[in-house]
């Protein structure tokens, strides 16, 4: 009999859909923003950079500050601030006001994301932690192929301010949903600041965050340059590039759910090894295709689908592994992991740009594969005769009060 998804988990899905859309959607309306606020497109592009950097740095910092508060308060309060910040963005009269609202929105989104993962992990029933984490991850994934295109379309039809009003509306509805349905999960027990900062000194956590950083750098480098890679290998126009991105989104959703289910069955450490290894193999195959001279769009689509499945399977087993490494400060540890992913994505974009300008877009998967090989070598080893169940392997959980 299939397990019923609780309403509060769907609310977390919607919250992560809103925050994920907010992060990426402005890239689709940059020309309109630049023209409206009388700045260049490159200056407007710093709105994207500021959001990503503040998000990455703010996630672990806010996790430490907010760790003792009830998870529902952090979630709901963060979504209220997120909603107000996006409403302010929609009303921004000039560039710096918009920049300030983006910074506040990034801080709110960082706190919401960390608390959402912590709530999903703590509120999951026995043996279902991976599946619950995968639903939250799916919200971020769906944002790539529904929220972002819808927001961009809305901005094109009614102006870029309408995009931020849409995000604010989803954020407000999510906040109401959190206060109405989210389980009452206590914050971490009172502890000295040194204890709350313990994940920063934990070698197992540092190792896992490094794996996440390398996966973000090497794996998502391919995502950042999938358009140039498509053009370089099979040609085609914007329609074909859009089709490849649609495959990424659809199979990314499948991958997120797949990662959760497998993590429940095998445990997060075993699943992490499987996912990173599959990700590595997919990049190698994409690289071989890039230099093979084959120009089949169908073959490319199959390879992109394979890569997407493994790339977006990472979050559930990784978050489960990080939680197991620091169960006493899970929210802080998972926030560090999120920062590693975002920083890796930014670094991957920079490295990928150098690869494209020197070797060509066809070689991006090979460079990504080298980084993924290092990530694979750093994934935790699983004892062959371990007797712990997947749930026990996932670590202890904060009790629901």
């Amino acid at each position: 009999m299939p397990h019923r998804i609780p309403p509060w988990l769907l609310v977390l899905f919607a919250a992560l859909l809103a925050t994920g859309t907010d992060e990426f959607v402005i890239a689709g309306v940059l020309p309109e923003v630049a023209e409206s606020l009388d700045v260049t497109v490159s200056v407007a592009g710093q709105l994207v950079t500021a959001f990503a950097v503040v998000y990455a740095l703010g996630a672990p910092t806010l996790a430490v500050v907010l760790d003792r508060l009830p998870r529902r308060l952090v979630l709901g309060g963060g979504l209220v601030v997120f909603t107000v910040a996006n409403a302010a963005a929609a009303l921004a009269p000039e560039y710096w006001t918009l920049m300030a609202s983006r910074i506040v929105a990034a801080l709110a989104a960082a706190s919401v994301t960390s608390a959402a993962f912590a709530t999903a992990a703590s509120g999951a029933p026995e043996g279902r932690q991976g599946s619950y984490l995968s639903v939250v991850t799916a919200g971020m994934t769906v944002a790539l192929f529904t929220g972002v295109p819808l927001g961009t379309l809305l901005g094109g039809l009614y102006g870029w301010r309408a995009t931020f009003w849409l995000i604010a509306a989803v954020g407000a509805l999510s906040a109401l949903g959190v206060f109405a349905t989210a389980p009452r999960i206590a914050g971490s027990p009172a502890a000295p600041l040194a204890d709350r900062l313990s994940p920063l000194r934990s070698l197992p956590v540092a190792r896992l965050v490094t794996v996440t950083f390398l996966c973000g750098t090497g794996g998502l480098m391919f995502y950042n340059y999938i358009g140039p890679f498509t053009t370089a290998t099979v040609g085609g126009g914007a329609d074909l590039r859009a089709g490849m991105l649609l495959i990424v989104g659809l199979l990314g959703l499948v991958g997120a759910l797949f990662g959760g289910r497998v993590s429940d069955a095998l445990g997060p450490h075993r699943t992490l090894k499987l996912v990173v290894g599959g990700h590595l193999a997919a990049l190698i195959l994409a690289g071989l295709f890039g230099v093979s001279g084959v120009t089949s769009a169908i073959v490319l689509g199959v390879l992109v689908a394979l890569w997407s499945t493994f790339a977006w399977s990472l979050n559930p087993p990784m978050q489960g592994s990080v939680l197991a490494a620091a169960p006493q400060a899970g929210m802080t540890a998972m926030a560090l992991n999120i920062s590693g992913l975002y920083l890796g994505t930014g670094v991957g974009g920079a490295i990928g740009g150098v690869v494209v300008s020197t070797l060509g877009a066809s070689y991006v998967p090979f460079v990504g594969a080298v980084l993924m090989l290092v990530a694979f070598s750093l994934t935790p080893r699983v004892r062959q005769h371990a007797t712990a169940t997947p749930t026990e392997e996932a670590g202890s959980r904060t009790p629901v009060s």
Side-chain angles (χ1 to χ4, degrees), residues 226-227 229-248 289 295-301 304:
I226 196 168
F229 182 82
T230 300
T231 301
T233 54
V234 302
D239 290 347
L240 182 58
R241 294 194 298 273
M244 293 300 162
L245 290 172
L246 179 61
I247 291 174
V248 171
F289 175 81
T295 58
S296 169
I298 294 176
V299 174
L300 176 59
V304 168

Side-chain angles (χ1 to χ4, degrees), residues 152-168:
T152 303
L153 176 63
L154 190 67
L157 292 175
Y158 301 106
W160 62 270
R161 297 179 189 276
T163 299
F164 288 107
W165 282 122
L166 173 65
I167 296 171

Side-chain angles (χ1 to χ4, degrees), residues 146-398:
T146 58
V148 172
L150 177 60
T152 303
L153 176 63
L154 190 67
L157 292 175
Y158 301 106
W160 62 270
R161 297 179 189 276
T163 299
F164 288 107
W165 282 122
L166 173 65
I167 296 171
V170 177
L173 291 173
S174 298
L176 291 174
V178 164
F179 286 123
T181 68
R184 295 181 180 274
I185 298 175
S188 298
L193 180 61
D195 290 348
R196 296 204 300 274
L197 292 175
S198 59
L200 298 175
R201 304 187 304 272
S202 168
L203 289 179
V205 170
R207 181 174 179 173
L208 288 165
V209 172
T210 301
V211 172
T212 299
F213 172 79
L214 290 169
C215 288
T217 305
L220 296 184
M221 181 193 306
F222 183 56
Y223 173 75
N224 288 334
Y225 294 96
I226 196 168
F229 182 82
T230 300
T231 301
T233 54
V234 302
D239 290 347
L240 182 58
R241 294 194 298 273
M244 293 300 162
L245 290 172
L246 179 61
I247 291 174
V248 171
L250 293 174
L251 271 296
L253 176 59
V254 172
L257 300 176
F258 168 79
R261 291 293 183 89
V262 177
S263 186
D264 284 340
L266 302 181
H269 286 351
R270 290 183 178 86
T271 306
L272 184 61
K273 203 81 172 177
L274 170 67
V275 166
V276 176
H279 198 162
L280 169 62
L283 283 174
I284 292 174
L285 290 174
L288 292 173
F289 175 81
V291 299
S292 68
V294 177
T295 58
S296 169
I298 294 176
V299 174
L300 176 59
V302 170
L303 292 174
V304 168
L306 178 66
W307 168 81
S308 300
T309 301
F310 284 107
W312 266 263
S313 295
L314 176 69
N315 241 324
M318 178 57 78
Q319 296 289 31
S321 297
V322 168
L323 183 60
Q328 76 288 353
M331 185 168 156
T332 303
M334 288 193 281
L336 284 171
N337 196 50
I338 293 168
S339 290
L341 179 62
Y342 275 79
L343 290 174
T345 302
V347 172
I351 295 176
V354 173
V355 174
V356 170
S357 62
T358 54
L359 300 176
S362 299
Y363 289 88
V364 167
F366 280 136
V367 177
V370 172
L371 295 167
M372 289 299 301
L373 180 60
V374 179
F376 182 78
S377 70
L378 291 175
T379 53
R381 295 181 180 179
V382 180
R383 296 188 301 273
Q384 291 183 351
H385 303 291
T387 58
T389 65
T391 300
E392 291 168 339
E393 186 184 11
S396 61
R397 303 196 183 121
T398 307

Side-chain angles (χ1 to χ4, degrees), residues 49-60 62 102-108 110 339:
T49 303
F51 190 102
V53 171
V54 170
Y55 188 113
L57 297 178
L62 288 172
R102 293 291 290 163
I103 290 173
V104 174
L107 290 172
S339 290

